[in-house]
Amino acid sequence: MKTSEFSDAFKEARQEKGIGQMNDQNDPVKMVLRHKEVRKCAHNWKAFQSGAEPGRIVIPSEVNIRDTRQIPFEVDPPEHKSFRDLVEPWFKRPLETVYQNGITKIIEEVVDNAINNDSLEVVSEFSLPLQSRALTFLLNTPYSESDLWISWGTHVFRSEGSDLDADKANILYDYIDKEIDRAIKNPSDDLYSVLLASEVNGKKLTKEEVKGVLVLTFAGGRDTVINAVTNSISYFAEHPKSLKMIKENPEMINNAVEELVRYFSPLTQMGRVVTEDTQVCEHAVKADTRVSLCWASANRDENVFEDANEVVLDRKVNPHVAFGFGVHNCLGATHARQILRVLLSILSQKVTSIEILEAKENIEDLENFKRKVGFDCLKVKFNK
Ligand code: EMZ
């Protein structure tokens, strides 16, 4: 199998039953695998809620390492809308020219650095710095902060081997608490200060609510962005013609980005807690149990995508759900898309080929399903 190939781990179960099953810390999950059902459940926020105990909709569950409710992610309508409306304009800033110029500079820097190295480990020396530096733009905080964030590694809640790590999580919580106190003393124009000065439904946001938005911002777009970037590098390493095609037809970049996120689906699934006895895909699900919306499976659904297991960079109709679906669709999607678009543009202009020197796959273990989600290590050489 090619390094850049990501097979569909859910095919059989999706076709046969439409449902998968996994245990997760004794809180089992019924995984919804078909595109149509995934969208249906995502739409039905009343029966499939996000505003459950903090951490419970995440798989693996974070209830043991997190008390702070992530906002707006773990809040349901109608309250959800008020929070979402508040933060939405801030998370749309990536569309502004100044923001794009900032991201462009960061990506040019990491690509130039890669070109000047004989061997580069993409996850730790390319994608992680890129993600953390770009995050300074999303938060509107000093660039120098990113050095600390880079030192936290690819996941803020998990350490090597993907285990949930309470000590590591506390590093993030303490950091955010301190930053909130700093912003109270010395307000600036960063996300902390803007949130602290904001109101929802006529009430000032509490420190805990501000923390909830920040925890989501730090945690939610971290390993996902890192995987999307790393996997894209592996793809272009094995498809130099595609890189050339993008160079010659830069207008195809937006479609190419959508197709890469569909194919890689950096977030495999997201859970919901069932609020009433009901059915998914003709399977009974009980109140207070968990289902998951398996974006990765839905994105390979053969009833929706022609050649679902191929990367078709100029795919025209692409109703993928890699950024989720419904009211909880990914808040960071504008930022993530902008990073990937700029990356493709700069890569295609500056790099002619990428050689893979070494690759170690990162396989997510979902009991009955083993899914390649990215790489633990990807050593490459970029050629001008
Ligand atoms: C949560 C989640 C959000 C969770 C859209 O995904 O991302 C995960 O990586 C985090 O661990 O806490 O933010």
Side-chain angles (χ1 to χ4, degrees), residues 58 62 66 70 73 155 157-158 215-216 219-220 223 267 270:
V58 182
E62 293 172 355
R66 177 151 72 75
Q70 292 185 14
F73 166 62
H155 206 289
F157 295 138
R158 298 180 213 162
V215 175
L216 173 62
D223 51 325
L267 182 70
M270 186 48 73

Side-chain angles (χ1 to χ4, degrees), residues 24-25 59-62 64-65 152 154-169 362-365 376:
D24 168 28
Q25 301 160 72
I59 300 163
S61 167
E62 293 172 355
N64 294 323
I65 57 156
W152 294 340
T154 48
H155 206 289
V156 285
F157 295 138
R158 298 180 213 162
S159 38
E160 278 297 294
S162 211
D163 290 317
L164 292 171
D165 184 338
D167 293 337
K168 193 166 180 185
N362 175 5
I363 310 285
E364 229 176 28
D365 185 355
D376 288 331

Side-chain angles (χ1 to χ4, degrees), residues 50-77:
S50 297
E53 182 185 357
R56 192 167 173 214
I57 62 166
V58 182
I59 300 163
S61 167
E62 293 172 355
V63 290
N64 294 323
I65 57 156
R66 177 151 72 75
D67 300 317
T68 298
R69 179 173 299 284
Q70 292 185 14
I71 296 176
F73 166 62
E74 291 174 317
V75 181
D76 280 311

